Amino acid sequence: MRYGHFDDERREYVITRPDTPLPWINYLGSEAYFGIISNTAGGYSFYRDARLRRLTRYRYNNTPFDLGGRYLYLRDSISGDFWSPSWQPTRSELEDYECRHGMGYSAISSRHAGIEAETLYFVPVDENLEIWRTRVTNKRDAEAKLSLFSAIEFCLWDAWDDQTNFQRNFSTGQVEVEGSVIYHKTEYRERRDHFAYFACSEPLAGFDTQRDTFLGAYNGWDSPSAVKRGESFDSVAHGWAPCGSHHVELTLAPGESKEVIFVLGYWENAEEAKFDPPGSQTINKKLVKPVIDRYLRPEEAEGAFQRLRDYWSELLGILQVTTPDEHTNRMVNVWNAYQCMVTFNMSRSASFYESGIGRGMGFRDSNQDLLGFVHMVPERARERILDIAATQLPSGGAYHQYQPLTKRGNDAVGSGFNDDPAWLILGVAAYLKETGDISILDEEVTYDNEPGSESPLYEHLQRSLRYTLQRLGPHELPLIGRADWNDCLNLNCFSTTPGESFQTTENKEGGVAESVFIGGLFVLAAEELAQIAELRGHTDEAESYRADGAKMDAVVREHGWDGEWFRRAYDYYGDVIGSAQNEEGSIFIEPQGMCILAGIGLDDGKAEKALDSVASKLATEHGIVLQQPAFSHYYVNLGEISSYPPGYKENAGIFCHTNPWIMIAETIVGRGDAAFDYYRRINPSAREDISELHRCEPYVYPQMIAGKDAPSFGEAKNSWLSGTAAWNFVAASQWILGIRAEHGGLRIDPCLPKEWEGYEAERKFRGATYQIKVSKPAGVCKGVTRVVVNGEDVEGNLIAPQPAGAEVVVEVSIG
Ligand code: GLC
Ligand code: GLC
């Protein structure tokens, strides 16, 4: 069953009934001011940091789902009937309800009692504010007298404190109201230099800023007192819970429309210019007023919306494909690319599942996210790389997380996740391949943000590799430390205290537990660093990295191979994990993917064998589960992985992030049907028809789909913020379609389903535009036989970079 449909032309998902199985959300904002918005206008906004600069309040895990948002109410002044045009919070009967989630905007429209309302929500590029543009139309054949109310609840900035520290924050709330603008200025009187504002384009009949007056003490958002009686109270908040509500009266002739604009924004004043007049306690509004006035003008709001559309057209225009499969087309061209940009902006901070108060940016996560967005915003990828590298520790190790506002490593989570450093090499390699900008390698970057500790970025990469080499275990495999990619495989943790964090609790340091996964990752990273050394003309260094890689490759084949698949690890006692010898957890997905990506076992049949084992033991109709058999009870020597009930999360869930590794591995061994089949199983668009089961948004990947051991097999969770976005984009675009940036140019090496006869693509790369046409006979998957560039045959399938501005026509034949 579906709850809407894709509008591919407009790059929108159109939700046609409000009661989706879960709130289906979208993101607003692209640089600094962000928000999440659901299909019924739920959600919240923040400036830069979802915890420390939260503008509006949202209560997670609420009932009914998703209460708190950017609400509007309409009230018929004659009948007293009132409703929410976005369905929530009144949940009144609506006709023609539609929510269009687009690129950086959402539009919600509906009709009730002959009154149409459509609201467009978006954040203009380069501004720290959001616009709600509402159009109310009278479709009755008589005049309509209406009241329009807006409603938001302000958050007192620090979202954690806001939800916990009531003895203080029930006394701090302050606002100012001037004309049609409500200013929220809690703590501005003391150490903050910022405030929020909520403005309306129309003269007001009234306003409210005290939540409990607006709602009435025992009313919910579905029946605010002010709306029920049709008149605001003009309340001014002193402490308690500041809110923002405007009341606008509208009289509409039959057929008449009226546009009302609301602007919600964030503003900082210089320390010495906070107040006007100086010495008073009144906000200085001189600088913010012109900005507010500008976006309250319809033509400015429209212009800003057009700029936002252009911004996205440009980003998405960097890769556009036309294949025989609509699910591939819309994910690669629109939604997967969009999700990659969102994960770049949010990391893992704010979604319906990530409360915005918990985690910082992951060192590993951010480097992987980069793989998916580097082609769209290379300058911002550069900045991100330098920020991440500056938190690296002198040992080459890494803080597992860092804070976006301060850009410093997070001490509370600490380090010791031994895969982290290697991801920096992969992130930097992806940047170099896309841009050719080797100057980044000479950038002087600190360790642990310590001034004076700078070294060129290249040395950071060298230290990353050395970090692993200096931490080898009894089998010469890399020590796992706290965990490797799988945060929940905690082999040195031995936690028995309820509630203790598996990630931060003190570990036993046995120096024994090893990770085959890091072994594979190391081989991959060593080859990447060797290529980077070559770019710098250091062939001797390149050789030594390749030798390190070859040595690890041999170790993995010897101690990491189980006979039918790659093993997962050795535990604290030196016992094997992920082996036929284990009753539970005898085969894991991660080493099969990573070792083959690194090229281990391609020449001796191990790769195919491992992939066959994945197919027979791990693959399900809803995707590939993380391991089998699931852990039926808690294993103190394995940690968090066995804390989840079977089939969920890392305990044999379909952890979507890992599936593309197998897709890529299948393309490496040339099995295009298998690669594409796995791609289709978790492609959200291809799962649209089972939305009732899947439950999450059909336009973005979830982190997890419940595995076959779970009672809710096939049900997705944790949509949006996941490494799944980047890796699926990489798998589809670079390995299945096979358009891959390399240091030496653009490689075209597709591995397609047998039945396809080719596809077309446009790719912008280092300033030139490539029109690519791939043709093949049915029955073949892989093997480029001929490449013609601008009418001339070229040797091989790597196309050297073309001059900036060039239009390049590329014809590729397979088989
Ligand atoms: C989460 C984390 C990621 C980790 C994965 C597996 O997605 O963000 O860093 O690799 O879980 O544990
Ligand atoms: C939790 C999650 C896991 C995530 C980790 C990050 O353990 O279950 O997916 O990677 O936290 O800290």
Side-chain angles (χ1 to χ4, degrees):
M1 173 183 173
R2 299 183 181 196
Y3 292 79
H5 57 266
F6 286 91
D7 183 337
D8 294 324
E9 193 78 9
R10 288 167 60 163
R11 295 172 171 158
E12 291 171 338
Y13 191 80
V14 188
I15 300 164
T16 48
R17 48 186 288 183
D19 56 340
T20 46
L22 290 163
W24 285 2
I25 71 167
N26 192 16
Y27 284 82
L28 309 178
S30 39
E31 290 271 346
Y33 183 102
F34 295 106
I36 64 177
I37 181 164
S38 73
N39 57 307
T40 58
Y44 60 93
S45 299
F46 60 93
Y47 173 73
R48 284 195 194 277
D49 188 309
R51 170 167 173 184
L52 298 175
R53 294 283 188 283
R54 183 86 60 102
L55 267 82
T56 54
R57 189 174 280 161
Y58 184 78
R59 287 176 193 78
Y60 273 88
N61 198 6
N62 213 338
T63 52
F65 276 161
D66 187 33
L67 256 199
R70 302 170 180 83
Y71 290 144
L72 295 172
Y73 302 85
L74 279 164
R75 181 179 185 276
D76 188 312
S77 310
I78 311 299
S79 69
D81 174 30
F82 66 91
W83 69 98
S84 309
S86 61
W87 193 59
Q88 288 255 54
T90 65
R91 295 183 299 281
S92 315
E93 197 74 15
L94 296 176
E95 293 163 81
D96 296 338
Y97 161 88
E98 208 175 73
C99 168
R100 291 181 167 265
H101 283 320
M103 304 288 102
Y105 66 89
S106 292
I108 303 177
S109 56
S110 65
R111 183 152 39 92
H112 177 93
I115 304 298
E116 265 179 20
E118 178 183 357
T119 308
L120 170 70
Y121 299 90
F122 70 100
V123 174
V125 183
D126 295 331
E127 295 287 3
N128 296 323
L129 57 87
E130 66 189 64
I131 295 176
W132 315 358
R133 183 177 73 188
T134 297
R135 226 171 253 148
V136 184
T137 305
N138 178 10
K139 291 280 181 183
R140 301 175 183 167
D141 45 20
E143 185 182 79
K145 280 189 181 307
L146 303 166
S147 277
L148 174 66
F149 293 87
S150 65
I152 56 166
E153 198 178 351
F154 289 110
C155 179
L156 308 184
W157 304 116
D158 179 335
W160 170 256
D161 189 84
D162 183 74
Q163 297 285 304
T164 49
N165 190 9
F166 303 110
Q167 62 78 23
R168 170 177 162 84
N169 67 35
F170 277 169
S171 293
T172 55
Q174 286 190 302
V175 298
E176 285 177 29
V177 182
E178 208 181 279
S180 297
V181 191
I182 295 164
Y183 296 88
H184 172 233
K185 60 169 189 176
T186 300
E187 294 186 346
Y188 188 72
R189 61 192 301 284
E190 28 127 351
R191 292 156 297 173
R192 293 191 186 273
D193 59 1
H194 52 261
F195 56 87
Y197 55 86
F198 188 31
C200 174
S201 60
E202 304 307 302
L204 302 186
F207 62 86
D208 275 296
T209 66
Q210 183 73 280
R211 183 194 65 200
D212 299 336
T213 308
F214 173 70
L215 294 180
Y218 288 94
N219 293 341
W221 292 92
D222 55 353
S223 59
S225 293
V227 178
K228 267 203 293 202
R229 71 169 198 167
E231 197 184 339
S232 297
F233 296 91
D234 295 353
S235 59
V236 175
H238 300 287
W240 299 111
C243 72
S245 173
H246 307 93
H247 174 199
V248 176
E249 284 173 347
L250 303 171
T251 303
L252 299 178
E256 190 184 349
S257 278
K258 172 82 188 163
E259 189 169 294
V260 181
I261 295 175
F262 298 92
V263 176
L264 171 64
Y266 171 91
W267 194 263
E268 284 174 7
N269 273 338
E271 182 61 35
E272 61 288 356
K274 275 171 67 170
F275 302 105
D276 180 28
S280 77
Q281 290 288 295
T282 311
I283 298 175
N284 176 1
K285 308 182 182 79
K286 286 207 178 80
L287 294 172
V288 73
K289 269 304 264 172
V291 177
I292 297 176
D293 291 343
R294 175 175 172 197
Y295 289 105
L296 290 175
R297 291 201 291 275
E299 66 284 5
E300 290 286 349
E302 177 59 25
F305 184 57
Q306 288 313 324
R307 281 193 296 283
L308 179 69
R309 302 212 70 163
D310 294 346
Y311 168 85
W312 279 105
S313 293
E314 202 170 302
L315 290 188
L316 299 180
I318 293 166
L319 176 67
Q320 287 290 303
V321 304
T322 312
T323 79
D325 179 58
E326 66 169 351
H327 305 295
T328 306
N329 296 345
R330 66 167 67 111
M331 289 313 286
V332 172
N333 294 339
V334 185
W335 290 98
N336 194 177
Y338 181 59
Q339 188 180 1
C340 286
M341 285 299 293
V342 171
T343 57
F344 159 59
N345 285 324
M346 298 289 129
S347 190
R348 305 291 174 270
S349 71
S351 72
F352 185 64
Y353 308 86
E354 302 278 8
S355 64
I357 55 182
R359 301 160 69 176
M361 320 263 288
F363 190 95
R364 168 202 305 137
D365 292 339
S366 295
N367 278 302
Q368 289 180 81
D369 291 348
L370 209 133
L371 307 176
F373 71 79
V374 62
H375 64 294
M376 290 184 277
V377 284
E379 326 70 44
R380 292 175 72 194
R382 189 181 209 276
E383 188 188 331
R384 176 64 57 85
I385 286 170
L386 297 174
D387 285 348
I388 299 171
T391 68
Q392 190 176 22
L393 297 163
S395 64
Y399 285 102
H400 196 44
Q401 291 177 11
Y402 68 101
Q403 297 309 122
L405 207 61
T406 60
K407 298 188 174 176
R408 302 188 77 93
N410 181 335
D411 282 314
V413 184
S415 66
F417 294 73
N418 281 349
D419 66 316
D420 273 331
W423 293 109
L424 181 64
I425 300 178
L426 302 196
V428 172
Y431 172 78
L432 292 170
K433 290 175 182 175
E434 182 63 36
T435 62
D437 166 29
I438 58 169
S439 75
I440 192 174
L441 297 168
D442 293 319
E443 286 282 347
E444 293 284 330
V445 184
T446 57
Y447 294 89
D448 199 2
N449 295 102
E450 201 50 53
S453 67
E454 291 81 357
S455 82
L457 178 65
Y458 181 63
E459 192 181 320
H460 282 254
L461 306 185
Q462 295 178 303
R463 290 196 198 186
S464 291
L465 209 65
R466 216 178 303 139
Y467 178 88
T468 304
L469 286 175
Q470 289 171 346
R471 286 165 184 75
L472 300 180
H475 301 93
E476 302 283 293
L477 283 163
L479 292 176
I480 195 167
R482 288 191 171 280
D484 56 21
W485 170 87
N486 191 332
D487 275 334
C488 299
L489 187 62
N490 315 120
L491 301 183
N492 296 307
C493 180
F494 293 89
S495 176
T496 51
T497 308
E500 185 170 74
S501 160
F502 289 95
Q503 270 82 46
T504 58
T505 182
E506 206 183 317
N507 269 359
K508 295 192 186 192
E509 272 315 331
V512 173
E514 301 170 298
S515 163
V516 176
F517 174 84
I518 303 182
L521 181 63
F522 178 86
V523 175
L524 185 63
E527 172 57 27
E528 293 291 5
L529 191 57
Q531 292 183 16
I532 293 172
E534 276 166 355
L535 289 179
R536 291 168 69 83
H538 297 316
T539 44
D540 48 333
E541 287 175 11
E543 257 172 55
S544 98
Y545 299 139
R546 288 209 171 96
D548 293 336
K551 202 165 154 209
M552 185 66 74
D553 180 312
V555 171
V556 170
R557 286 183 211 230
E558 188 177 347
H559 299 292
W561 180 251
D562 200 56
E564 300 288 324
W565 57 81
F566 291 99
R567 297 176 162 180
R568 181 62 178 87
Y570 288 90
D571 72 7
Y572 179 82
Y573 307 107
D575 293 334
V576 68
I577 295 173
S579 156
Q581 300 165 38
N582 301 108
E583 247 168 66
E584 299 193 332
S586 57
I587 170 170
F588 283 68
I589 191 172
E590 306 102 303
Q592 322 313 325
M594 190 48 71
C595 292
I596 300 171
L597 250 76
I600 305 173
L602 292 180
D603 52 358
D604 58 8
K606 288 193 171 65
E608 278 92 346
K609 236 186 199 171
L611 289 171
D612 291 343
S613 299
V614 168
S616 63
K617 299 193 178 304
L618 299 179
T620 78
E621 64 195 286
H622 296 294
I624 311 167
V625 299
L626 195 139
Q627 97 277 4
Q628 277 295 295
F631 298 113
S632 59
H633 62 271
Y634 178 55
Y635 291 78
V636 72
N637 61 320
L638 301 183
E640 185 167 5
I641 189 166
S642 60
S643 74
Y644 291 110
Y648 294 109
K649 295 278 280 183
E650 281 90 339
N651 187 12
I654 296 158
F655 214 89
C656 295
H657 182 150
T658 58
N659 281 221
W661 296 341
I662 301 300
M663 298 168 203
I664 297 172
E666 289 286 3
T667 68
I668 292 175
V669 303
R671 307 198 295 205
D673 279 346
F676 190 69
D677 184 18
Y678 289 139
Y679 177 68
R680 278 288 295 264
R681 293 186 204 190
I682 63 165
N683 181 317
S685 161
R687 296 173 63 79
E688 189 190 15
D689 285 340
I690 52 164
S691 286
E692 237 176 356
L693 172 66
H694 185 79
R695 299 187 75 206
C696 281
E697 296 91 332
Y699 41 90
V700 290
Y701 286 95
Q703 178 204 55
M704 203 261 308
I705 298 172
K708 60 185 178 190
D709 302 288
S712 59
F713 180 35
E715 177 190 37
K717 241 176 240 171
N718 298 8
S719 56
W720 282 100
L721 304 183
S722 166
T724 309
W727 276 108
N728 272 286
F729 191 81
V730 169
S733 62
Q734 300 183 18
W735 295 91
I736 295 175
L737 301 179
I739 305 176
R740 212 152 58 229
E742 293 190 4
H743 297 300
L746 204 57
R747 177 149 340 249
I748 320 278
D749 192 17
C751 181
L752 305 173
K754 285 205 185 85
E755 64 177 43
W756 285 21
E757 293 183 350
Y759 75 88
E760 290 181 24
E762 182 175 307
R763 171 71 151 94
K764 300 202 169 72
F765 176 66
R766 300 195 200 170
T769 303
Y770 298 74
Q771 301 291 348
I772 302 164
K773 188 170 169 28
V774 173
S775 330
K776 76 176 196 51
V780 206
C781 296
K782 189 175 175 174
V784 170
T785 47
R786 187 172 177 212
V787 178
V788 180
V789 176
N790 288 336
E792 295 197 13
D793 272 75
V794 299
E795 190 71 30
N797 60 354
L798 181 68
I799 305 164
Q802 304 289 307
E807 292 281 334
V808 191
V809 178
V810 182
E811 294 154 90
V812 177
S813 313
I814 296 178

